[in-house]
């Protein structure tokens, strides 16, 4: 299993590669569990305002596939649970990173 800092760097590089460097601000992750109680990693990819106008559905699928592949290759059996938000959306919510 990768350590949290290494995992976050890997995910951020993947997201910037698949979604565009200008569209991804940062990535943060926190441990959690999936719907079955198994270990998961809750990943938030922070995107720029208007990024969804520039990101296609294929880009999102490619990003998801690349992240899952990276976890598999690193023999990290946690489930990556991914969400997208802008800084403004995070600030408006009750997330711990706000």
């Amino acid at each position: 299993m990768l350590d949290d800092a290494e995992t976050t760097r890997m995910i951020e590089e993947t997201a910037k590669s698949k979604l565009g460097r200008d569209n991804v601000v940062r990535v943060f992750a926190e441990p959690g569990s999936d719907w079955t109680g198994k270990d998961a990693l809750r990943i938030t990819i922070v995107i720029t305002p208007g990024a969804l106008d520039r990101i296609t559905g294929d880009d999102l699928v490619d990003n998801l596939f690349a992240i899952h592949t990276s976890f598999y290759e690193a023999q990290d059996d946690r489930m990556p649970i991914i969400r997208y938000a802008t800084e403004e959306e995070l600030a408006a919510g009750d997330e711990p990173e706000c």
Side-chain angles (χ1 to χ4, degrees):
M1 181 184 317
L2 300 169
D3 68 38
D4 289 344
E6 188 178 11
T7 301
T8 301
R9 273 192 308 276
M10 174 194 69
I11 295 165
E12 187 167 330
E13 266 311 302
T14 299
K16 286 180 176 182
S17 168
K18 300 298 180 185
L19 305 176
R21 293 197 175 281
D22 294 338
N23 294 324
V24 177
V25 175
R26 64 187 173 105
V27 172
F28 63 90
E30 59 187 7
S33 56
D34 68 10
W35 57 94
T36 67
K38 291 183 181 177
D39 286 340
L41 191 63
R42 298 185 180 280
I43 300 160
T44 301
I45 299 174
V46 182
I47 57 175
T48 59
L52 293 180
D53 293 333
R54 298 180 296 273
I55 298 171
T56 68
D58 286 344
D59 294 335
L60 293 171
V61 171
D62 289 347
N63 184 56
L64 181 62
F65 181 76
I67 291 171
H68 277 269
T69 299
S70 296
F71 272 65
Y72 175 78
E73 290 173 350
Q75 297 180 351
D76 189 333
D77 59 356
R78 294 177 291 179
M79 170 65 72
I81 300 171
I82 302 168
R83 74 177 191 139
Y84 299 88
T86 63
E87 293 286 5
E88 293 78 18
E89 290 168 336
L90 291 175
D94 59 346
E95 295 298 317
E97 283 285 320
C98 293

